[in-house]
Amino acid sequence: MSMYLCYNISYQTTTIPKGDIMSVYHIVFSPTGGTKKVSDIFTASFSSESILIDLTERSRDFSSCSFAETDTCIVSVPSYGGRVPDIAVTRLRQMNGNGASAILIAVYGNRAYDDTFAELQDVLADSGFSCIAAVAAVAEHSIMRQYAAGRPNAQDAETLTRFAENIRAKMEAGSLSSHLNLPGNRPYREYGGVPLKPAAGKSCNRCGLCADKCPTGAIDTATPSQTDPKLCISCMRCMAICPQHARSLNKALHAAASLKLKKACSGRKENELFL
């Protein structure tokens, strides 16, 4: 099994205090479930108990999420065009880290994660978290599902488990620096979204599930067939959860986008650990 361990050396020597971890929080933005699969594997291997905070919940007051310095927060987000989804950024910025340790997980669909780590690290640091470790992981692409199909798989699970155990051991030994050096550019790459927006077909029975679960509130509750293209982030949750399979993408645009990504998404990308 291939396993890449990327140790980024920092010349600053501040370390995380040695000792027990008080509480573990599982903070995740995962509209279609791929990021949560990765995060679930990692979190279960890191700790037998954790508290889930779902960043897709529109009704939650994230400003009430305040942590202690002895807490550990595993923050998992998908990479959208090499960036952190805007809505996840907004909700993470509302939290109060208070020095809690943060383990960053960036999940991507076998293309690249680009500036996702740089942005996520900046957002968490601004919110008072101490970023101590990071993992880049591959999951099935949420739009072009033929890329990284079936991932995370058993091989990924084994790798993520080892990463989690490695980080936990180093935390307990007090050997991790609070000055984590991660890949990514500043300013971040531009991302204007994608033109693929799910639309409701004739089989829509107006159950309203898509509107209720949309992370951004882009779907009208009274008329679920109506989607606000400015609010839609093409996360594909509405397609993934529709009981009638009534929502779909423009086939021509989808085919064109798939072809455009074919070269970049070919071959198996491996998970990476940054300490």
Side-chain angles (χ1 to χ4, degrees), residues 20-185:
D20 294 333
I21 300 166
M22 182 177 288
S23 296
V24 175
Y25 291 87
H26 182 192
I27 305 172
V28 60
F29 184 83
S30 183
T32 58
T35 297
K36 190 170 186 298
K37 285 180 182 178
V38 168
S39 194
D40 283 348
I41 294 167
F42 180 92
T43 303
S45 302
F46 183 84
S47 175
S48 60
E49 295 183 1
S50 63
I51 301 165
L52 176 65
I53 298 177
D54 185 353
L55 291 172
T56 68
E57 294 181 2
R58 298 200 314 273
S59 61
R60 182 159 191 165
D61 176 14
F62 292 98
S63 65
S64 68
C65 297
S66 186
F67 307 96
E69 188 176 2
T70 49
D71 292 337
T72 297
C73 297
I74 300 167
V75 184
S76 305
V77 299
S79 177
Y80 283 6
R83 297 281 301 276
V84 182
D86 283 347
I87 193 65
V89 168
T90 297
R91 290 166 185 172
L92 288 170
R93 286 194 181 281
Q94 294 171 9
M95 297 182 178
N96 299 298
N98 296 316
S101 297
I103 300 170
L104 290 59
I105 301 182
V107 181
Y108 66 108
N110 209 55
R111 185 191 66 81
Y113 47 82
D114 299 304
D115 300 335
T116 307
F117 276 133
E119 184 175 18
L120 183 58
Q121 185 177 29
D122 290 347
V123 169
L124 292 175
D126 288 346
S127 295
F129 293 90
S130 178
C131 301
I132 61 166
V135 171
V138 178
E140 186 174 295
H141 200 287
S142 61
I143 301 176
M144 275 66 77
R145 307 195 76 91
Q146 71 270 33
Y147 300 129
R151 296 185 70 180
N153 55 24
Q155 182 177 341
D156 295 314
E158 183 178 349
T159 303
L160 292 168
T161 295
R162 292 192 182 193
F163 287 174
E165 292 172 348
N166 190 339
I167 294 171
R168 177 85 190 213
K170 289 183 179 298
M171 287 183 70
E172 292 176 346
S175 60
L176 288 179
S177 170
S178 62
H179 298 279
L180 182 65
N181 188 16
L182 291 172
N185 299 302

